[in-house]
PDB file of all heavy atoms in Angstrom:
ATOM      1  N   THR O1396     -33.673  -5.715 -28.154  1.00 96.00           N
ATOM      2  CA  THR O1396     -34.462  -6.919 -28.413  1.00 96.00           C
ATOM      3  C   THR O1396     -33.581  -7.943 -29.114  1.00 96.00           C
ATOM      4  O   THR O1396     -32.706  -7.593 -29.901  1.00 96.00           O
ATOM      5  CB  THR O1396     -35.691  -6.625 -29.309  1.00 96.00           C
ATOM      6  OG1 THR O1396     -35.241  -6.114 -30.564  1.00 96.00           O
ATOM      7  CG2 THR O1396     -36.624  -5.625 -28.653  1.00 96.00           C
ATOM      8  N   TRP O1397     -33.828  -9.203 -28.819  1.00 95.00           N
ATOM      9  CA  TRP O1397     -33.134 -10.312 -29.473  1.00 95.00           C
ATOM     10  C   TRP O1397     -34.097 -11.481 -29.538  1.00 95.00           C
ATOM     11  O   TRP O1397     -34.691 -11.853 -28.529  1.00 95.00           O
ATOM     12  CB  TRP O1397     -31.876 -10.705 -28.719  1.00 95.00           C
ATOM     13  CG  TRP O1397     -31.303 -12.028 -29.134  1.00 95.00           C
ATOM     14  CD1 TRP O1397     -31.235 -13.163 -28.384  1.00 95.00           C
ATOM     15  CD2 TRP O1397     -30.736 -12.359 -30.401  1.00 95.00           C
ATOM     16  NE1 TRP O1397     -30.650 -14.173 -29.092  1.00 95.00           N
ATOM     17  CE2 TRP O1397     -30.337 -13.712 -30.352  1.00 95.00           C
ATOM     18  CE3 TRP O1397     -30.534 -11.655 -31.593  1.00 95.00           C
ATOM     19  CZ2 TRP O1397     -29.741 -14.357 -31.418  1.00 95.00           C
ATOM     20  CZ3 TRP O1397     -29.932 -12.301 -32.661  1.00 95.00           C
ATOM     21  CH2 TRP O1397     -29.537 -13.636 -32.572  1.00 95.00           C
ATOM     22  N   SER O1398     -34.262 -12.041 -30.736  1.00 94.00           N
ATOM     23  CA  SER O1398     -35.112 -13.209 -30.922  1.00 94.00           C
ATOM     24  C   SER O1398     -34.233 -14.389 -31.339  1.00 94.00           C
ATOM     25  O   SER O1398     -33.783 -14.442 -32.490  1.00 94.00           O
ATOM     26  CB  SER O1398     -36.164 -12.949 -31.998  1.00 94.00           C
ATOM     27  OG  SER O1398     -36.817 -14.148 -32.334  1.00 94.00           O
ATOM     28  N   PRO O1399     -33.986 -15.332 -30.419  1.00 93.00           N
ATOM     29  CA  PRO O1399     -33.190 -16.502 -30.798  1.00 93.00           C
ATOM     30  C   PRO O1399     -33.856 -17.307 -31.921  1.00 93.00           C
ATOM     31  O   PRO O1399     -33.164 -17.909 -32.739  1.00 93.00           O
ATOM     32  CB  PRO O1399     -33.116 -17.323 -29.512  1.00 93.00           C
ATOM     33  CG  PRO O1399     -33.411 -16.367 -28.409  1.00 93.00           C
ATOM     34  CD  PRO O1399     -34.333 -15.351 -28.999  1.00 93.00           C
ATOM     35  N   GLU O1400     -35.185 -17.303 -31.963  1.00 94.00           N
ATOM     36  CA  GLU O1400     -35.912 -18.062 -32.990  1.00 94.00           C
ATOM     37  C   GLU O1400     -35.619 -17.531 -34.389  1.00 94.00           C
ATOM     38  O   GLU O1400     -35.337 -18.291 -35.304  1.00 94.00           O
ATOM     39  CB  GLU O1400     -37.419 -18.032 -32.722  1.00 94.00           C
ATOM     40  CG  GLU O1400     -37.843 -18.733 -31.453  1.00 94.00           C
ATOM     41  CD  GLU O1400     -37.607 -17.889 -30.196  1.00 94.00           C
ATOM     42  OE1 GLU O1400     -37.520 -16.646 -30.278  1.00 94.00           O
ATOM     43  OE2 GLU O1400     -37.479 -18.494 -29.119  1.00 94.00           O
ATOM     44  N   SER O1401     -35.698 -16.212 -34.576  1.00 96.00           N
ATOM     45  CA  SER O1401     -35.452 -15.641 -35.901  1.00 96.00           C
ATOM     46  C   SER O1401     -33.978 -15.306 -36.119  1.00 96.00           C
ATOM     47  O   SER O1401     -33.553 -15.046 -37.244  1.00 96.00           O
ATOM     48  CB  SER O1401     -36.297 -14.382 -36.099  1.00 96.00           C
ATOM     49  OG  SER O1401     -35.848 -13.334 -35.257  1.00 96.00           O
ATOM     50  N   GLY O1402     -33.204 -15.260 -35.037  1.00 95.00           N
ATOM     51  CA  GLY O1402     -31.782 -14.938 -35.151  1.00 95.00           C
ATOM     52  C   GLY O1402     -31.527 -13.483 -35.471  1.00 95.00           C
ATOM     53  O   GLY O1402     -30.531 -13.155 -36.116  1.00 95.00           O
ATOM     54  N   SER O1403     -32.428 -12.600 -35.027  1.00 97.00           N
ATOM     55  CA  SER O1403     -32.245 -11.180 -35.321  1.00 97.00           C
ATOM     56  C   SER O1403     -32.621 -10.335 -34.108  1.00 97.00           C
ATOM     57  O   SER O1403     -33.328 -10.786 -33.205  1.00 97.00           O
ATOM     58  CB  SER O1403     -33.088 -10.770 -36.528  1.00 97.00           C
ATOM     59  OG  SER O1403     -34.457 -10.932 -36.241  1.00 97.00           O
ATOM     60  N   GLY O1404     -32.129  -9.106 -34.119  1.00 97.00           N
ATOM     61  CA  GLY O1404     -32.436  -8.205 -33.022  1.00 97.00           C
ATOM     62  C   GLY O1404     -32.030  -6.788 -33.347  1.00 97.00           C
ATOM     63  O   GLY O1404     -31.510  -6.493 -34.423  1.00 97.00           O
ATOM     64  N   ALA O1405     -32.281  -5.898 -32.402  1.00 98.00           N
ATOM     65  CA  ALA O1405     -31.937  -4.491 -32.553  1.00 98.00           C
ATOM     66  C   ALA O1405     -31.714  -3.896 -31.167  1.00 98.00           C
ATOM     67  O   ALA O1405     -32.232  -4.400 -30.176  1.00 98.00           O
ATOM     68  CB  ALA O1405     -33.050  -3.752 -33.286  1.00 98.00           C
ATOM     69  N   ALA O1406     -30.952  -2.837 -31.133  1.00 98.00           N
ATOM     70  CA  ALA O1406     -30.703  -2.133 -29.870  1.00 98.00           C
ATOM     71  C   ALA O1406     -30.476  -0.670 -30.178  1.00 98.00           C
ATOM     72  O   ALA O1406     -30.087  -0.304 -31.295  1.00 98.00           O
ATOM     73  CB  ALA O1406     -29.502  -2.735 -29.151  1.00 98.00           C
ATOM     74  N   GLY O1407     -30.724   0.164 -29.190  1.00 97.00           N
ATOM     75  CA  GLY O1407     -30.509   1.587 -29.366  1.00 97.00           C
ATOM     76  C   GLY O1407     -30.208   2.277 -28.052  1.00 97.00           C
ATOM     77  O   GLY O1407     -30.716   1.866 -27.006  1.00 97.00           O
ATOM     78  N   LEU O1408     -29.384   3.309 -28.127  1.00 97.00           N
ATOM     79  CA  LEU O1408     -29.057   4.124 -26.966  1.00 97.00           C
ATOM     80  C   LEU O1408     -29.159   5.590 -27.356  1.00 97.00           C
ATOM     81  O   LEU O1408     -28.702   6.001 -28.430  1.00 97.00           O
ATOM     82  CB  LEU O1408     -27.630   3.872 -26.490  1.00 97.00           C
ATOM     83  CG  LEU O1408     -27.265   2.491 -25.973  1.00 97.00           C
ATOM     84  CD1 LEU O1408     -25.766   2.414 -25.693  1.00 97.00           C
ATOM     85  CD2 LEU O1408     -28.051   2.189 -24.714  1.00 97.00           C
ATOM     86  N   VAL O1409     -29.757   6.374 -26.471  1.00 97.00           N
ATOM     87  CA  VAL O1409     -29.726   7.832 -26.575  1.00 97.00           C
ATOM     88  C   VAL O1409     -29.284   8.310 -25.204  1.00 97.00           C
ATOM     89  O   VAL O1409     -29.917   7.987 -24.196  1.00 97.00           O
ATOM     90  CB  VAL O1409     -31.101   8.423 -26.938  1.00 97.00           C
ATOM     91  CG1 VAL O1409     -31.034   9.947 -26.979  1.00 97.00           C
ATOM     92  CG2 VAL O1409     -31.607   7.867 -28.265  1.00 97.00           C
ATOM     93  N   TYR O1410     -28.178   9.044 -25.168  1.00 96.00           N
ATOM     94  CA  TYR O1410     -27.678   9.516 -23.868  1.00 96.00           C
ATOM     95  C   TYR O1410     -26.962  10.858 -24.021  1.00 96.00           C
ATOM     96  O   TYR O1410     -26.397  11.170 -25.056  1.00 96.00           O
ATOM     97  CB  TYR O1410     -26.757   8.483 -23.215  1.00 96.00           C
ATOM     98  CG  TYR O1410     -25.516   8.130 -23.995  1.00 96.00           C
ATOM     99  CD1 TYR O1410     -24.307   8.770 -23.744  1.00 96.00           C
ATOM    100  CD2 TYR O1410     -25.548   7.134 -24.974  1.00 96.00           C
ATOM    101  CE1 TYR O1410     -23.169   8.436 -24.456  1.00 96.00           C
ATOM    102  CE2 TYR O1410     -24.414   6.788 -25.682  1.00 96.00           C
ATOM    103  CZ  TYR O1410     -23.230   7.446 -25.419  1.00 96.00           C
ATOM    104  OH  TYR O1410     -22.108   7.115 -26.131  1.00 96.00           O
ATOM    105  N   ARG O1411     -27.039  11.629 -22.969  1.00 96.00           N
ATOM    106  CA  ARG O1411     -26.360  12.919 -22.889  1.00 96.00           C
ATOM    107  C   ARG O1411     -25.065  12.698 -22.111  1.00 96.00           C
ATOM    108  O   ARG O1411     -25.083  12.126 -21.029  1.00 96.00           O
ATOM    109  CB  ARG O1411     -27.242  13.936 -22.193  1.00 96.00           C
ATOM    110  CG  ARG O1411     -26.676  15.309 -22.227  1.00 96.00           C
ATOM    111  CD  ARG O1411     -27.798  16.329 -22.496  1.00 96.00           C
ATOM    112  NE  ARG O1411     -27.202  17.585 -22.883  1.00 96.00           N
ATOM    113  CZ  ARG O1411     -27.190  18.030 -24.126  1.00 96.00           C
ATOM    114  NH1 ARG O1411     -27.748  17.339 -25.089  1.00 96.00           N
ATOM    115  NH2 ARG O1411     -26.643  19.179 -24.408  1.00 96.00           N
ATOM    116  N   LEU O1412     -23.938  13.140 -22.689  1.00 97.00           N
ATOM    117  CA  LEU O1412     -22.627  12.870 -22.123  1.00 97.00           C
ATOM    118  C   LEU O1412     -21.924  14.153 -21.699  1.00 97.00           C
ATOM    119  O   LEU O1412     -21.937  15.151 -22.435  1.00 97.00           O
ATOM    120  CB  LEU O1412     -21.757  12.140 -23.157  1.00 97.00           C
ATOM    121  CG  LEU O1412     -20.344  11.758 -22.739  1.00 97.00           C
ATOM    122  CD1 LEU O1412     -20.367  10.704 -21.642  1.00 97.00           C
ATOM    123  CD2 LEU O1412     -19.560  11.252 -23.943  1.00 97.00           C
ATOM    124  N   ASN O1413     -21.332  14.128 -20.518  1.00 97.00           N
ATOM    125  CA  ASN O1413     -20.436  15.179 -20.036  1.00 97.00           C
ATOM    126  C   ASN O1413     -19.055  14.572 -19.876  1.00 97.00           C
ATOM    127  O   ASN O1413     -18.918  13.457 -19.377  1.00 97.00           O
ATOM    128  CB  ASN O1413     -20.890  15.721 -18.675  1.00 97.00           C
ATOM    129  CG  ASN O1413     -22.133  16.558 -18.789  1.00 97.00           C
ATOM    130  OD1 ASN O1413     -22.175  17.512 -19.555  1.00 97.00           O
ATOM    131  ND2 ASN O1413     -23.151  16.213 -18.016  1.00 97.00           N
ATOM    132  N   ILE O1414     -18.029  15.326 -20.303  1.00 97.00           N
ATOM    133  CA  ILE O1414     -16.638  14.915 -20.127  1.00 97.00           C
ATOM    134  C   ILE O1414     -15.939  16.000 -19.316  1.00 97.00           C
ATOM    135  O   ILE O1414     -15.929  17.165 -19.732  1.00 97.00           O
ATOM    136  CB  ILE O1414     -15.929  14.699 -21.481  1.00 97.00           C
ATOM    137  CG1 ILE O1414     -16.664  13.634 -22.309  1.00 97.00           C
ATOM    138  CG2 ILE O1414     -14.467  14.300 -21.269  1.00 97.00           C
ATOM    139  CD1 ILE O1414     -16.131  13.452 -23.716  1.00 97.00           C
ATOM    140  N   GLN O1415     -15.416  15.622 -18.161  1.00 97.00           N
ATOM    141  CA  GLN O1415     -14.775  16.562 -17.243  1.00 97.00           C
ATOM    142  C   GLN O1415     -15.713  17.732 -16.920  1.00 97.00           C
ATOM    143  O   GLN O1415     -15.280  18.872 -16.837  1.00 97.00           O
ATOM    144  CB  GLN O1415     -13.465  17.087 -17.826  1.00 97.00           C
ATOM    145  CG  GLN O1415     -12.358  16.060 -17.928  1.00 97.00           C
ATOM    146  CD  GLN O1415     -11.818  15.595 -16.590  1.00 97.00           C
ATOM    147  OE1 GLN O1415     -12.200  14.535 -16.119  1.00 97.00           O
ATOM    148  NE2 GLN O1415     -10.954  16.367 -16.002  1.00 97.00           N
ATOM    149  N   GLY O1416     -17.009  17.435 -16.785  1.00 96.00           N
ATOM    150  CA  GLY O1416     -17.979  18.454 -16.427  1.00 96.00           C
ATOM    151  C   GLY O1416     -18.481  19.303 -17.582  1.00 96.00           C
ATOM    152  O   GLY O1416     -19.359  20.144 -17.405  1.00 96.00           O
ATOM    153  N   GLU O1417     -17.946  19.098 -18.786  1.00 97.00           N
ATOM    154  CA  GLU O1417     -18.360  19.855 -19.965  1.00 97.00           C
ATOM    155  C   GLU O1417     -19.325  19.031 -20.804  1.00 97.00           C
ATOM    156  O   GLU O1417     -19.093  17.842 -21.045  1.00 97.00           O
ATOM    157  CB  GLU O1417     -17.141  20.222 -20.833  1.00 97.00           C
ATOM    158  CG  GLU O1417     -16.154  21.136 -20.141  1.00 97.00           C
ATOM    159  CD  GLU O1417     -16.704  22.535 -19.919  1.00 97.00           C
ATOM    160  OE1 GLU O1417     -17.413  23.048 -20.803  1.00 97.00           O
ATOM    161  OE2 GLU O1417     -16.440  23.109 -18.839  1.00 97.00           O
ATOM    162  N   ASP O1418     -20.384  19.664 -21.266  1.00 96.00           N
ATOM    163  CA  ASP O1418     -21.391  18.980 -22.082  1.00 96.00           C
ATOM    164  C   ASP O1418     -20.794  18.581 -23.432  1.00 96.00           C
ATOM    165  O   ASP O1418     -20.308  19.433 -24.170  1.00 96.00           O
ATOM    166  CB  ASP O1418     -22.597  19.892 -22.283  1.00 96.00           C
ATOM    167  CG  ASP O1418     -23.715  19.236 -23.057  1.00 96.00           C
ATOM    168  OD1 ASP O1418     -23.795  17.994 -23.074  1.00 96.00           O
ATOM    169  OD2 ASP O1418     -24.533  19.973 -23.649  1.00 96.00           O
ATOM    170  N   ALA O1419     -20.814  17.292 -23.737  1.00 95.00           N
ATOM    171  CA  ALA O1419     -20.318  16.787 -25.023  1.00 95.00           C
ATOM    172  C   ALA O1419     -21.466  16.542 -25.994  1.00 95.00           C
ATOM    173  O   ALA O1419     -21.239  16.174 -27.140  1.00 95.00           O
ATOM    174  CB  ALA O1419     -19.520  15.509 -24.812  1.00 95.00           C
TER     175      ALA O1419
END
Side-chain angles (χ1 to χ4, degrees):
T1396 61
W1397 166 247
S1398 170
E1400 295 79 23
S1401 69
S1403 63
L1408 296 174
V1409 178
Y1410 61 95
R1411 187 139 195 105
L1412 181 67
N1413 288 305
I1414 302 174
Q1415 291 292 100
E1417 297 291 322
D1418 183 23

